[in-house]
Amino acid sequence: MSNVATYQLLDGKQCSEAVRADIASQAAVVTAQRGRAPHLAAVLVGNDGASRTYVESKVRACQSVGFRSSLIELPTSTTEAELLDLISSLNRDPELDGFIVQLPLPKHISEEKVTLAIDPRKDVDGFHPESLGRMVLGLPGFLPATPAGIVELLRHYGISTAGKHCVVIGRSNIVGTPMSLLMSRNTEPGNCTVTLAHSRTKDLPAITRQADILIVAIGKPEFVTADMVKDGAVVVDVGIHRITDTTKKSGFRLVGDVHFDDVAAKCSWISPVPGGVGPMTITSLLLNTLKAAERP
Ligand SMILES: NC(=O)c1ccc[n+]([C@@H]2O[C@H](COP(=O)([O-])OP(=O)(O)OC[C@H]3O[C@@H](n4cnc5c(N)ncnc54)[C@H](OP(=O)(O)O)[C@@H]3O)[C@@H](O)[C@H]2O)c1
């Protein structure tokens, strides 16, 4: 029997390039019509290295599609009241189409208060309850960036989803829960029968083995192994972790929540880490910002 793997990659880098080319041409139209480019601001509080990397890549992505971007950096000592004041002024800034406050925030600042303070019309991360409520009801609005990026990735590669059993592992407000809702909507991609698994789920492998489409957002490095995956499944790996690797010059490598080398050969399609969901999250943020800028 041949050992040649037959899986195909859900390549988020390639998909992002295609979607971003479209965004750039639509951004040029918006810029010509309004006399100013779509403008995204990112607020970074504190010195978390991973958060800084994410924010800087979002800012770079804006530049690549002709958006204006502003990076607002605040010290860890920033009080909740100071951050809420800043959000209030960003809400009122007529030159700004959308903004994000990078999470996690320092412990003394309530993420809930911050999320609620953002004007839903500028909520390009799609985390505000109004954005989530609109998503649930199928009304126009900003979709949360990571789940929306995954839907776009499935669409780009023509993955058929209707009638399939989709298992989502993880029920966070920003990934797992909205992902499960998007996959169950009467849309294409969508129309799946969805199971949402979490830390209290019993016999997780028995459930994941039933998945035609398995979306993993659990936050544990290389958690999903081949014995948990059905032959021919589509596997989307949301996780991203740095693990020590002394064979690398940097001393680390990036892995996902799925053990790629173990699982890939069983899959029809699988997203890699890096280069899978990560670039799609940023692309969704750009799409939401364009949507905000196009609003009359
Ligand atoms: N690539 C990107 O753009 C991107 C964007 C966002 C997040 N991420 C990554 O995606 C991963 C998930 O992020 P998140 O914010 O959704 O994580 P999170 O808030 O930590 O949620 C993890 C979820 O996994 C569940 N879980 C934990 N252990 C489990 C187990 N043994 N069996 C079944 N379920 C279990 C938890 O269940 P309970 O609810 O019961 O605790 C929780 O619902 C992280 O690695 C994060 O870095 C990547």
Side-chain angles (χ1 to χ4, degrees):
M1 213 170 92
S2 160
N3 279 328
V4 178
T6 53
Y7 67 86
Q8 290 182 272
L9 276 187
L10 293 167
D11 184 337
K13 232 173 136 219
Q14 189 197 65
C15 175
S16 281
E17 275 165 24
V19 178
R20 288 185 199 185
D22 283 347
I23 295 174
S25 53
Q26 289 173 61
V29 174
V30 172
T31 304
Q33 281 169 350
R34 301 192 311 175
R36 69 173 181 83
H39 181 193
L40 173 77
V43 180
L44 177 64
V45 186
N47 293 317
D48 181 68
S51 293
R52 177 170 299 279
T53 308
Y54 293 141
V55 165
E56 285 173 354
S57 52
K58 288 168 185 175
V59 168
R60 268 200 311 278
C62 283
Q63 287 153 4
S64 75
V65 293
F67 289 5
R68 184 179 157 201
S69 60
S70 305
L71 175 55
I72 304 168
E73 295 181 74
L74 301 173
T76 312
S77 58
T78 305
T79 64
E80 187 177 274
E82 285 167 340
L83 182 58
L84 292 173
D85 273 353
L86 171 69
I87 291 172
S88 167
S89 70
L90 296 176
N91 282 341
R92 292 190 310 269
D93 184 346
E95 299 285 304
L96 187 63
D97 297 297
F99 65 97
I100 61 164
V101 179
Q102 184 67 40
L103 302 179
L105 290 167
K107 294 258 177 296
H108 62 277
I109 301 179
S110 155
E111 290 186 359
E112 192 182 312
K113 277 191 195 162
V114 166
T115 304
L116 285 167
I118 295 173
D119 183 338
R121 287 170 305 172
K122 294 192 176 183
D123 175 40
V124 287
D125 252 340
F127 294 165
H128 191 281
E130 180 170 326
S131 304
L132 292 172
R134 286 179 165 276
M135 180 194 70
V136 172
L137 298 174
L139 297 171
F142 299 119
L143 296 176
T146 299
I150 292 169
V151 169
E152 194 53 45
L153 192 59
L154 296 174
R155 188 195 328 274
H156 180 81
Y157 285 103
I159 306 298
S160 133
T161 59
K164 300 285 166 66
H165 184 192
C166 175
V167 175
V168 178
I169 317 181
R171 58 177 164 188
S172 70
N173 290 339
I174 61 170
V175 188
T177 294
M179 189 74 245
S180 68
L181 287 163
L182 289 178
M183 294 307 285
S184 67
R185 289 196 310 181
N186 185 4
T187 53
E188 190 60 42
N191 282 314
C192 285
T193 304
V194 176
T195 301
L196 180 57
H198 45 75
S199 67
R200 304 290 184 90
T201 297
K202 284 192 181 143
D203 199 357
L204 183 65
I207 290 168
T208 57
R209 276 195 295 270
Q210 295 170 30
D212 303 307
I213 300 170
L214 178 62
I215 302 178
V216 190
I218 187 171
K220 294 188 190 301
E222 300 184 320
F223 180 90
V224 170
T225 45
D227 57 305
M228 299 172 73
V229 176
K230 169 162 119 175
D231 275 326
V234 175
V235 174
V236 178
D237 188 352
V238 184
I240 182 143
H241 312 272
R242 273 182 181 195
I243 60 166
T244 306
D245 185 342
T246 49
T247 67
K248 302 276 179 209
K249 218 170 144 190
S250 60
F252 70 86
R253 69 191 160 92
L254 293 176
V255 298
D257 288 350
V258 175
H259 195 305
F260 186 94
D261 292 341
D262 194 35
V263 167
K266 285 189 98 174
C267 301
S268 53
W269 294 86
I270 182 167
S271 70
V273 177
V277 173
M280 294 309 299
T281 296
I282 299 181
T283 298
S284 296
L285 181 66
L286 298 175
L287 273 172
N288 278 346
T289 305
L290 180 67
K291 204 189 266 184
E294 284 175 337
R295 204 180 5 227

